């Protein structure tokens, strides 16, 4: 299944939003790939062939917080969820952390895929954290909820509750489309380094819609922080893989949006 076909606007009725039909038509006519899904304050439906359907509410951010883009589901979250479901990124029996969780899809999928514990974090704005908790309660059973929690974390603040209480605690960390802010690369890398278990793995995944150099910049920051990549590839929305490249020259913006960079990081010198 085409990656972008795994998600759609959610409606209780059988009627379809005309605006959504128009947007889908444009994507088809012009072969443009939609890389963000949903609208603030509304619901989307993620459809997993293996696990079923997941209804996700998208936060309506307070003024000043909409620049963090937690009010969409991005293709990186869809791809991360696919990798978790297929066990290419295996979370079974692991302690999992999702950073920059947004709607929390990969974290929710981790619970379904038998993670021992899943912590979903995002910027500590009350509406962000409340929305993630809402999505947990919508999609998880009572027993599953005992294995999931939500906590705020500002990247780079390694003296906060999360980093002081859970330093080195997480076997698997998911960072999906968290790299568009150059100024936060070193802060994010510092948090990941602090929270990752000694033999843990980080799934770092992002689209190129804000530029290939943004993704490469975070990979460099991760190396500076004491992490190392053990694998980096690119994958398009049809599931085609190719080698990672820092620079592909003058890329067509429409073609570039079809691709994601997928990296696995570990601690250096283990």
């Amino acid at each position: 299944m085409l990656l972008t076909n795994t998600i759609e606007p959610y409606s209780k009725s059988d009627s379809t939003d005309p605006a959504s039909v128009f947007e889908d038509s444009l994507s088809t006519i012009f072969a443009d790939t939609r890389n963000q899904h949903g609208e603030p304050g509304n619901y989307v439906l993620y459809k997993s062939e293996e696990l079923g359907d997941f209804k996700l509410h998208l936060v309506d951010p307070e003024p000043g917080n909409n620049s963090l883009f937690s009010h969409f589901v991005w293709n990186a979250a869809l791809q991360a969820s696919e990798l978790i479901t297929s066990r290419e990124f295996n979370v079974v029996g692991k302690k999992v952390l999702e950073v920059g969780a947004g709607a929390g899809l990969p974290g929710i999928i981790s619970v379904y895929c038998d993670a021992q514990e899943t912590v979903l974090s995002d910027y500590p704005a009350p509406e962000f954290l409340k929305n993630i908790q809402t999505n947990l309660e919508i999609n998880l059973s009572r027993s599953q909820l005992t294995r999931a929690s939500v906590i705020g974390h500002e990247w780079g603040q390694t003296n906060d509750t999360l980093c002081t209480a859970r330093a080195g605690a997480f076997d698997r960390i998911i960072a999906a489309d968290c790299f568009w802010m150059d100024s936060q690369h070193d802060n994010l890398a510092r948090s990941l380094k602090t929270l990752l278990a000694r033999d843990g793995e980080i799934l770092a995944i992002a689209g190129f819609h804000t530029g290939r150099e943004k993704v490469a910049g975070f990979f460099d920051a991760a190396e500076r922080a004491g992490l190392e990549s053990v694998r980096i590839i690119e994958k398009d929305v049809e599931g085609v893989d190719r080698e990672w490249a820092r620079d592909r020259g003058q890329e067509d913006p429409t073609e570039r949006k079809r691709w994601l960079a997928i990296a696995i990081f570990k601690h250096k010198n283990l």
Side-chain angles (χ1 to χ4, degrees):
M1 180 187 293
L2 194 70
L3 183 68
T4 50
N5 287 347
T6 62
I7 193 165
E8 63 186 30
Y10 174 84
S11 175
K12 292 182 180 179
S13 69
D14 292 331
S15 61
T16 305
D17 180 7
S20 176
V21 172
F22 179 68
E23 290 175 4
D24 288 341
S25 299
L26 288 179
S27 295
T28 301
I29 293 169
F30 296 106
D32 193 15
T33 298
R34 187 183 300 183
N35 55 10
Q36 65 184 47
H37 306 274
E39 295 294 335
N42 292 329
Y43 290 90
V44 292
L45 191 69
Y46 173 70
K47 301 174 293 182
S48 167
E49 292 181 342
E50 293 81 4
L51 302 176
D53 293 350
F54 296 83
K55 177 184 172 184
L56 300 168
H57 184 261
L58 303 183
V59 68
D60 191 359
E62 293 293 327
N65 287 336
N66 55 358
S67 62
L68 299 177
F69 296 104
S70 289
H71 48 287
F72 299 111
V73 176
W74 297 86
N75 285 350
L78 303 180
Q79 185 63 71
S81 299
E82 297 287 300
L83 294 172
I84 294 165
T85 302
S86 67
R87 299 193 180 182
E88 290 182 60
F89 189 67
N90 192 353
V91 302
V92 176
K94 305 297 185 182
K95 294 181 179 180
V96 176
L97 170 68
E98 183 182 3
V99 298
L105 177 60
I108 291 169
I109 297 299
S110 295
V111 178
Y112 268 79
C113 290
D114 298 321
Q116 177 185 335
E117 176 193 13
T118 303
V119 176
L120 297 91
S121 74
D122 208 325
Y123 184 77
E127 71 270 24
F128 289 179
L129 306 183
K130 181 180 178 181
N131 190 71
I132 297 171
Q133 184 64 41
T134 294
N135 284 334
L136 294 182
E137 293 170 2
I138 289 172
N139 291 286
L140 301 182
S141 68
R142 186 172 299 178
S143 62
Q144 287 173 325
L145 283 168
T146 64
R147 296 187 283 113
S149 60
V150 180
I151 189 168
H153 174 62
E154 186 172 350
W155 299 338
Q157 299 301 310
T158 55
N159 292 322
D160 72 356
T161 300
L162 177 62
C163 286
T164 54
R166 305 301 302 275
F170 295 100
D171 308 300
R172 300 288 185 268
I173 301 180
I174 305 156
D177 254 335
C178 294
F179 315 140
W180 77 97
M181 294 185 291
D182 308 70
S183 63
Q184 290 299 311
H185 284 171
D186 287 314
N187 287 335
L188 175 56
R190 189 179 309 118
S191 289
L192 297 178
K193 169 71 173 175
T194 299
L195 293 161
L196 185 65
R198 178 173 173 78
D199 58 351
E201 295 182 353
I202 299 165
L203 173 61
I205 178 169
F208 296 123
H209 45 278
T210 56
R212 184 173 292 269
E213 66 278 2
K214 301 276 189 181
V215 181
F218 171 74
F219 291 168
D220 292 341
E223 296 278 348
R224 289 194 298 271
L227 302 167
E228 63 180 352
S229 61
V230 296
R231 181 176 184 239
I232 307 178
I233 63 166
E234 298 180 19
K235 186 185 289 287
D236 78 354
V237 293
E238 295 182 6
V240 176
D241 292 354
R242 68 183 182 188
E243 291 184 359
W244 154 252
R246 296 180 66 92
D247 185 359
R248 291 189 180 273
Q250 189 68 32
E251 289 185 278
D252 176 73
T254 299
E255 172 65 15
R256 187 178 66 192
K257 284 170 61 178
R258 295 175 54 83
W259 292 89
L260 296 159
I262 303 172
I264 300 294
F265 282 90
K266 293 185 176 182
H267 286 293
K268 282 184 182 177
N269 303 321
L270 288 182

